[in-house]
Amino acid sequence: MDDEIPKIAIAIDDLTVAYNYKPVLWDIDLQIPEGVLMAIVGPNGAGKSTLLKSILDIIKPLAGSVTVYGKPYKKQRDLVAYVPQKGSVDWDFPTTALDVVMMGTYGSLGWIKRPGQKEKKLALEALEKVGMLPFQNRQISQLSGGQQQRIFLARALVQNAAIYFMDEPFQGVDATTEKAIIQILKELRKAGKTVIVVHHDLQTVPEYFDWVTFLNVKKIATGPVAQIFNDDNLTKTYGINYKTSITEGKL
Ligand SMILES: Nc1ncnc2c1ncn2[C@@H]1O[C@H](COP(=O)(O)OP(=O)(O)OP(=O)(O)O)[C@@H](O)[C@H]1O
């Protein structure tokens, strides 16, 4: 075992975010080490999506700062891929599954160049990885919710980012798709990527993730699942007594 201190992929300092002056994230300090597969858990309205949006500069904080590998997000955009929450995407525009995945390559091309054979090959490989190759020419609006989710994952894969953010990637997908997605997330981690996932199913946290952050407006706890995924932190986060719930399979 080496004692090397891991690099910090994301550093959040004293972050406070408010909508209409009502704070929804309060004084968050959070350091996410490079190479973790991390779940962000907390009840509805805890601020999980808001935290992702703050890191990605989609929402301006009231106070505090976020850095990505030591620099502001706008300087590190190319290092980051984001799979938004399914319901937040307008799927009605006329474009094929393959086109959507190809869009993931635009960042590395710059403004002038159009995607060519190399990008198409990458996109097809990613489609194959998520099991969607047969649907490459299908209009995106004519895919099921779980299939659309796979397409968005494929688009993130071709970005070849260092850090992946996913907002509830398992929402509304069947068990097979869920297993396929988690397999890909584990492969990304194995390749040294940092993967950060908003997740609701507490039951699967120990199986899927190696790192977890408990959030409920404030940061309750963060660290290795083996150390901090326990009744005490679950109770503090969800306000219910979780004793024995995990072992009894009630979550
Ligand atoms: N655009 C907005 N304007 C005003 N309030 C908002 C806005 N977006 C979110 N909120 C509020 O901010 C709080 C945090 O919302 P957020 O979506 O970050 O929570 P979440 O933990 O991701 O919830 P969920 O598990 O339900 O997806 C909630 O109380 C929500 O109602």
Side-chain angles (χ1 to χ4, degrees), residues 11-241:
I12 300 174
D13 291 305
D14 300 332
L15 183 79
T16 294
V17 179
Y19 293 112
N20 310 317
Y21 302 105
K22 187 178 170 288
V24 296
L25 288 177
W26 185 256
D27 205 14
I28 307 279
D29 282 310
L30 179 64
Q31 302 213 318
I32 305 174
E34 178 179 64
V36 295
L37 174 48
M38 183 179 95
I40 302 175
V41 299
N44 288 136
K48 302 180 295 295
S49 299
T50 303
L51 182 65
L52 290 199
K53 289 176 187 164
S54 309
I55 296 171
L56 298 165
D57 221 11
I58 298 168
I59 292 172
K60 296 281 167 226
L62 209 57
S65 67
V66 177
T67 54
V68 178
Y69 282 109
K71 293 183 189 157
Y73 170 76
K74 56 177 177 292
K75 294 202 165 154
Q76 305 283 51
R77 243 176 248 279
D78 288 352
L79 299 180
V80 174
Y82 172 47
V83 180
Q85 221 170 359
K86 216 169 56 183
S88 67
V89 179
D90 175 10
W91 292 107
D92 277 342
F93 53 89
T95 183
T96 65
L98 178 60
D99 286 338
V100 172
V101 179
M102 296 262 277
M103 282 174 204
T105 64
Y106 288 7
S108 57
L109 287 176
W111 283 103
I112 318 279
K113 261 182 99 181
R114 294 170 138 267
Q117 283 312 310
K118 185 170 148 239
E119 286 74 27
K120 188 171 175 188
K121 188 167 167 271
L122 281 175
L124 290 172
E125 278 166 14
L127 278 167
E128 180 155 38
K129 221 171 187 183
V130 301
M132 288 297 290
L133 201 52
F135 297 89
Q136 57 174 295
N137 295 320
R138 180 82 68 87
Q139 291 291 310
I140 192 83
S141 60
Q142 290 164 12
L143 292 170
S144 76
Q147 291 167 339
Q148 290 173 343
Q149 194 71 349
R150 285 178 183 231
I151 296 298
F152 246 77
L153 183 62
R155 192 183 73 155
L157 289 177
V158 299
Q159 274 179 262
N160 192 22
I163 307 173
Y164 289 80
F165 290 97
M166 318 222 165
D167 202 344
E168 299 192 41
F170 307 118
Q171 191 196 24
V173 304
D174 63 24
T176 315
T177 303
E178 179 159 334
K179 292 280 174 279
I181 293 175
I182 196 67
Q183 191 54 39
I184 290 168
L185 302 191
K186 286 185 172 177
E187 276 172 30
L188 287 171
R189 182 198 43 196
K190 231 184 238 164
K193 316 281 187 179
T194 306
V195 186
I196 298 156
V197 179
V198 173
H199 190 60
H200 267 292
D201 180 10
L202 295 170
Q203 193 86 55
T204 52
V205 168
E207 185 191 337
Y208 289 178
F209 300 95
D210 58 12
W211 208 263
V212 62
T213 293
F214 289 94
L215 187 74
N216 193 351
V217 184
K218 296 177 180 175
K219 182 192 76 181
I220 311 292
T222 190
V225 169
Q227 284 170 28
I228 69 153
F229 192 72
N230 54 37
D231 289 345
D232 186 32
N233 284 325
L234 285 162
T235 304
K236 280 186 193 149
T237 307
Y238 290 86
I240 311 164
N241 190 350

